[in-house]
């Protein structure tokens, strides 16, 4: 099946053509960072307007790069949520129009499911269930169990900041530009992760929840002390990063010791983090589980992952192109009716 994927949930205007949920024929992304960087974060109105300006050309570009036309496409997949409403509606409107005009099936994809299936792009590996997935992005951080491609359940989530948000906020404290995750990654590679002992907060209780706002605050207070002001920034970045990695690996370990899994995936924008990806793979190996991290270009928001999800979720996510609407607060689990 050849799927055209469209992703506009946040600030990337992305399109892709993917065959059989794994071969990426084209993957186009117009990053808007330059428009948002001066505000230190994403400005929803700017993102929405940029999507309107860029999306038609991005669809055309993806088709041309794949050497194909709309007539050869078997389905159109679009992120319907969660995300910024003004951004989501642009992709959804365009996908609906293309599906109606071309008489193609339309697939309404949860952006977060896309992140999980990104791990299988260009690998030749198919997901094995039950699958454990740790999703770490700018807006979400959650541990997920998949009994099948459409049967997803949240085991634990962050109670405050998402992991990516913690990276971005800590980067700002360190005077680094937005988005801060890659900046901390780079700076930390020259620092000592054991230089400072920042807290590893693990909320009590049965749920495998996480919390990162206390960590960010403790970096903030530390930087305000004389020792902090004089500290090597690379050491601070590496020590902060090590605390995030420890908490995430701890949650994975707890989940894997409670239930049996056949594979484990790390995904979302923060999966691009060098130290986290290394610690994750080392942990999976210790556990004897096949571990998978998407290629870097598929970690952050992209449209190939949306097509990859559509190919595996098929009828459960089939939508009516006349009535589909974006949902900025889309629930993570598919409704029971869709699984019947
Ligand atoms: O998944 P994503 O592209 O967008 C969302 O759906 O949120 O994730 C973006 C997040 C940002 O917070 C960014 O700082 C973080 O991923 N990120 C990283 C790295 N690359 C991106 N965080 C740590 N290390 C990285 N190398
Ligand atoms: Zn994302």
């Amino acid at each position: 099946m050849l799927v055209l994927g469209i992703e506009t949930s946040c600030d990337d205007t992305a399109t892709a053509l993917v065959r059989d949920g794994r071969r990426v024929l084209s993957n186009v992304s117009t990053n808007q960072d330059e428009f948002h960087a001066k505000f230190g974060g994403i400005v929803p109105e700017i993102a929405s307007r940029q999507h309107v300006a860029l999306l038609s050309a991005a669809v055309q570009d993806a088709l041309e790069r794949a050497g194909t036309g709309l007539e050869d496409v078997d389905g159109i997949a679009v992120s319907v949520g969660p995300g910024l409403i003004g951004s989501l509606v642009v992709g959804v409107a365009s996908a609906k129009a293309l599906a109606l005009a071309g008489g193609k099936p339309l697939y309404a994809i949860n952006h977060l499911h896309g992140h999980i299936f990104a791990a299988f792009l260009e690998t030749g590996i198919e997901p094995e269930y039950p699958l454990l997935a740790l999703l770490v992005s700018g807006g979400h951080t959650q541990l997920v169990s998949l009994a099948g491609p459409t049967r997803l359940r949240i085991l634990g989530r962050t109670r405050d900041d998402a992991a990516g948000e913690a990276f971005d906020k800590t980067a700002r404290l360190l005077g680094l530009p937005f988005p801060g995750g890659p900046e901390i990654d780079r700076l930390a590679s020259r620092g000592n992760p054991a230089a400072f002992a920042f807290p590893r907060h693990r909320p009590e209780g049965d749920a495998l929840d996480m919390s990162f706002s206390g960590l960010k605050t403790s970096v903030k207070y530390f930087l305000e002390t004389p020792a902090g002001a004089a500290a090597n920034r690379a050491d601070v970045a590496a020590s902060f990063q090590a605390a995030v990695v420890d908490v995430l690996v701890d949650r994975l370990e707890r989940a894997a010791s409670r239930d049996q899994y056949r594979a484990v995936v790390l995904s979302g924008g923060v999966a691009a983090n060098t130290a986290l990806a290394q610690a994750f793979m080392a942990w999976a190996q210790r556990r004897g589980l096949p571990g998978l991290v998407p290629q870097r270009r598929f970690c952050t928001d992209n449209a190939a992952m949306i097509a990859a999800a559509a190919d595996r979720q098929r009828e459960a996510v089939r939508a009516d192109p006349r009535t589909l609407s974006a949902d900025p607060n889309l629930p993570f689990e598919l409704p029971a009716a869709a699984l019947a």
Side-chain angles (χ1 to χ4, degrees):
M1 178 157 96
L2 180 64
V3 176
L4 167 65
I6 297 179
E7 155 61 45
T8 64
S9 68
C10 193
D11 66 328
D12 293 285
T13 312
T15 52
L17 276 144
V18 179
R19 191 173 299 284
D20 301 330
R22 64 188 94 103
R23 271 207 54 219
V24 181
L25 306 188
S26 62
N27 188 38
V28 173
S29 179
T30 312
N31 185 278
Q32 305 180 1
D33 281 351
E34 61 175 306
F35 300 106
H36 301 282
K38 60 177 174 287
F39 301 101
I42 291 155
V43 184
E45 290 77 6
I46 296 180
S48 178
R49 256 177 265 144
Q50 286 297 322
H51 287 312
V52 172
L54 299 168
L55 186 56
S56 294
V59 167
Q60 218 40 54
D61 200 10
L63 288 167
E64 275 169 27
R65 283 170 195 250
T68 185
L70 195 57
E71 60 285 358
D72 297 321
V73 167
D74 301 307
I76 313 230
V78 64
S79 286
V80 278
L84 302 169
I85 183 64
S87 289
L88 288 165
V89 292
V90 181
V92 170
S94 166
K96 287 163 72 176
L98 289 166
L100 264 180
K104 309 287 180 186
L106 177 65
Y107 300 98
I109 304 300
N110 184 310
H111 174 84
L112 301 171
H113 298 184
H115 273 301
I116 296 172
F117 292 104
F120 302 94
L121 290 166
E122 297 286 313
T123 60
I125 300 171
E126 268 307 295
E128 289 203 62
Y129 305 99
L131 177 76
L132 177 65
L134 175 61
L135 193 68
V136 277
S137 76
H140 295 80
T141 294
Q142 52 203 36
L143 199 55
V144 179
S145 131
L146 289 88
T150 56
R151 295 175 187 272
L152 305 94
R153 196 163 57 87
I154 296 183
L155 304 174
R157 47 157 60 101
T158 178
R159 297 212 177 150
D160 37 59
D161 292 349
E165 205 177 344
F167 269 95
D168 294 336
K169 288 178 176 172
T170 303
R172 200 194 297 198
L173 295 173
L174 289 168
L176 299 168
F178 175 86
E183 299 285 336
I184 291 203
D185 194 348
R186 224 169 293 136
L187 185 60
S189 69
R190 303 195 305 269
N192 173 8
F196 308 106
F198 293 125
R200 275 85 169 139
H201 191 61
R202 299 167 184 121
E204 293 301 317
D206 264 359
L208 293 163
D209 285 350
M210 293 151 261
S211 161
F212 296 104
S213 85
L215 168 60
K216 167 208 67 197
T217 306
S218 91
V219 175
K220 177 173 184 286
Y221 288 155
F222 172 68
L223 289 172
E224 287 167 0
T225 65
N232 176 336
R233 303 265 133 165
D235 288 345
V236 177
S239 300
F240 157 79
Q241 188 174 269
V244 175
V245 169
D246 279 356
V247 169
L248 294 174
V249 171
D250 173 84
R251 299 287 103 166
L252 283 164
E253 175 57 28
R254 275 205 198 187
S257 56
R258 280 186 194 176
D259 293 296
Q260 290 278 322
Y261 293 97
R262 295 186 64 194
V264 53
V265 159
L266 173 73
S267 66
V270 185
N273 185 268
T274 320
L276 177 59
Q278 276 170 6
F280 169 81
M281 290 307 286
W283 168 78
Q285 198 166 21
R286 281 201 303 279
R287 264 265 156 204
L289 285 166
L292 224 60
V293 182
Q295 288 179 23
R296 206 168 258 254
R297 65 194 165 122
F298 301 132
C299 281
T300 46
D301 289 352
N302 65 87
M305 69 185 197
I306 302 304
D311 209 286
R312 295 182 175 92
Q313 299 186 323
R314 301 275 178 117
E315 289 312 304
V317 293
R318 183 88 184 257
D320 184 337
R322 292 165 306 177
T323 55
L324 178 66
S325 49
D327 182 353
N329 304 311
L330 187 69
F332 183 77
E333 293 171 25
L334 290 174
L339 304 176

